[in-house]
Amino acid sequence: MHAKALERFTVIDLSRIRSGPTAVRQLADWGAKVIKVEAIEEDGMFGSRVSSDFQNLHRNKRSLTLNLKDPKAADIMRRLIEKADVLVENFRPDVKERLGIGYEAARAINPRLVYASISGFGQTGPYAKLPGFDQVAQGMGGLMSVTGLPGQGPVRVGIPIADLGAGLYCALGILTALLEREVSGEGQWVQTSLLQAQVALLDFQATRWLMDKEVPQQAGNDHPTAIPTGVFQTANGYINIAVAGQPMWKKFCKAIDAKHLAEEPRFSDSKSRSENRKALNDAISEQTKGKSSADWMKIFAAAGVPSGPIYAVDEVFADPQVQHLKLAQPVMHPDLGEIHLVGQPIIMSRSKSAIETPTPAKGQHTDEILMELGYDKAAIEQLKGGGVV
């Protein structure tokens, strides 16, 4: 068994809901030692701890309960920060200052600390103190204006993409800061937000406006610029077909036995195909309705034309390629038995990710962590009696 890639790093997880835990999960799955600091009382923000969502977000962590509002918690936080490499939080910007755990306070304790913050809209600026929520960021970040059928009105995507994007960008920032620390010897403050992540994830749709002054519109299942790319009906369902560029267009027309489409002036180049998108899609569908989805995918695979089935989630995990990639990972839970969670979508030749432990019970490791910080049993009992932990 090779050493875990990030096992030399200790991470304090002060985050809640989804964006922060997503960032921390990226570190935990590669071996970082994560201490999840949780409120003693239930906050009611995320439902049951044994829910599939909670289990998927918080595996590979240890749990310490701590009342951050109690002044006696400051010494525990100081000791945690002294030993940590990374701290991740997603409080509103003013909240962490009130609790005395803002960046400058943490940096004064440990200058090597990489302090990572995720907020709704940024740490500064006119919206800094507003609460953030994934769907709000999807709307403000432009995603809902380009999702859905033309004229349908704004549509959210089916996953919390702003939360997930912010978490992944945060993890990337943390790893960059840890690499930079090897040169400078100092930590730094890594900041991102749901809004920043969502705007960045617009990618080519954003630059269509920034460079070309073109406001992207809803295109439904059709690709906005690579045409024909979209959903096409077959004899027994629907499949995705993706055709980009003239050589691919000619191969595609040959594969569906419709060379006449390649010769049709209305479809002769990308611009023409865009202008006559509906007529082209209708003509293609007339061809694809003649064979089953499976038959078409064999034909397109032989022709080198990208295509694929459109799965429900249960079908995703039944697919032989998904199973080969081991994207569903088992872990044993003390109450639930063996459960399966979503594994890391990264394969490295030496370093391996792993889901080794399920989400801990709240406060499961409080005594253990406090003893590591230098508290004896009597001191721990006193802290418990005072409602500090």
Side-chain angles (χ1 to χ4, degrees):
M1 180 75 179
H2 294 287
K4 299 183 186 72
L6 302 180
E7 67 181 347
R8 66 189 183 279
F9 299 116
T10 297
V11 179
I12 303 170
D13 182 7
L14 289 172
S15 66
R16 303 183 303 159
I17 316 302
R18 188 178 308 280
S19 60
T22 296
V24 175
R25 179 176 61 193
Q26 291 304 111
L27 310 177
D29 283 2
W30 296 97
K33 299 180 181 72
V34 175
I35 298 172
K36 177 174 169 55
V37 179
E38 304 190 66
I40 297 173
E41 70 282 356
E42 295 293 338
D43 59 16
M45 293 288 286
F46 216 92
S48 169
R49 292 182 78 86
V50 295
S51 70
S52 57
D53 197 6
F54 201 90
Q55 290 294 315
N56 199 48
L57 278 170
H58 297 290
R59 73 272 188 116
N60 291 334
K61 301 178 183 180
R62 294 190 296 164
S63 172
L64 163 72
T65 49
L66 184 62
N67 179 9
L68 291 171
K69 296 176 183 177
D70 192 308
K72 293 178 183 176
D75 182 61
I76 297 172
M77 280 304 305
R78 179 184 60 77
R79 296 192 196 194
L80 284 169
I81 289 169
E82 280 177 346
K83 293 191 172 187
D85 298 283
V86 178
L87 183 152
V88 181
E89 61 84 21
N90 59 351
F91 295 115
R92 276 187 281 176
D94 55 325
V95 172
K96 57 180 166 284
E97 301 300 337
R98 290 205 307 268
L99 293 172
I101 51 173
Y103 170 63
E104 291 300 336
R107 183 173 179 272
I109 297 168
N110 181 359
R112 287 177 55 80
L113 182 73
V114 172
Y115 188 109
S117 296
I118 303 177
S119 59
F121 304 99
Q123 297 296 309
T124 58
Y127 304 157
K129 293 184 179 180
L130 295 178
F133 195 80
D134 174 84
Q135 188 157 336
V136 173
Q138 286 194 32
M140 289 182 66
L143 182 62
M144 292 173 70
S145 75
V146 298
T147 304
L149 299 170
Q152 182 178 4
V155 177
R156 70 180 292 274
V157 301
I159 58 172
I161 190 69
D163 274 333
L164 297 174
L168 292 172
Y169 281 126
C170 181
L172 177 59
I174 289 167
L175 294 173
T176 303
L178 288 171
L179 285 170
E180 194 278 338
R181 191 179 73 172
E182 294 178 1
V183 178
S184 68
E186 294 184 30
Q188 57 186 303
W189 192 2
V190 175
Q191 303 172 34
T192 191
S193 68
L194 306 192
L195 181 60
Q196 286 167 281
Q198 186 58 80
V199 172
L201 288 169
L202 285 180
D203 198 65
F204 79 97
Q205 295 281 48
T207 50
R208 287 175 70 188
W209 162 249
L210 291 173
M211 289 186 62
D212 306 328
K213 300 308 174 191
E214 179 183 357
V215 179
Q217 302 295 313
Q218 291 169 309
N221 289 319
D222 293 331
H223 191 280
T225 56
I227 299 161
T229 296
V231 175
F232 295 91
Q233 189 172 358
T234 66
N236 64 339
Y238 295 88
I239 59 172
N240 276 315
I241 304 170
V243 179
Q246 286 301 104
M248 182 72 71
W249 166 241
K250 291 178 181 177
K251 285 198 292 186
F252 169 71
C253 291
K254 182 178 179 182
I256 64 171
D257 195 23
K259 290 183 181 179
H260 63 282
L261 294 180
E263 297 164 0
E264 167 69 54
R266 291 181 300 164
F267 312 138
S268 60
D269 56 30
S270 179
K271 185 173 183 294
S272 300
R273 291 193 291 275
S274 179
E275 291 171 351
N276 298 285
R277 181 195 305 250
K278 186 179 185 309
L280 176 57
N281 285 350
D282 290 344
I284 293 170
S285 292
E286 286 304 310
Q287 297 296 113
T288 57
K289 287 176 186 176
K291 291 184 174 67
S292 72
S293 297
D295 286 343
W296 279 122
M297 284 187 288
K298 289 177 185 175
I299 291 168
F300 292 139
V305 174
S307 70
I310 300 170
Y311 285 149
V313 175
D314 57 337
E315 296 171 310
V316 172
F317 289 98
D319 184 274
Q321 184 65 25
V322 173
Q323 292 182 349
H324 171 78
L325 294 169
K326 296 181 171 60
L327 285 163
Q329 293 283 321
V331 67
M332 188 61 67
H333 189 281
D335 300 319
L336 301 173
E338 185 178 82
I339 59 175
H340 285 79
L341 304 172
V342 183
Q344 285 291 328
I346 303 166
I347 296 171
M348 296 202 286
S349 59
R350 289 188 299 106
S351 299
K352 310 296 180 187
S353 66
I355 303 175
E356 296 192 329
T357 59
T359 293
K362 177 174 274 198
Q364 179 178 334
H365 305 96
T366 295
D367 289 17
E368 178 182 305
I369 293 166
L370 290 176
M371 290 181 76
E372 290 171 4
L373 295 176
Y375 292 92
D376 60 25
K377 289 184 178 180
I380 292 170
E381 289 306 313
Q382 191 172 11
L383 288 167
K384 285 182 177 178
V388 181
V389 298

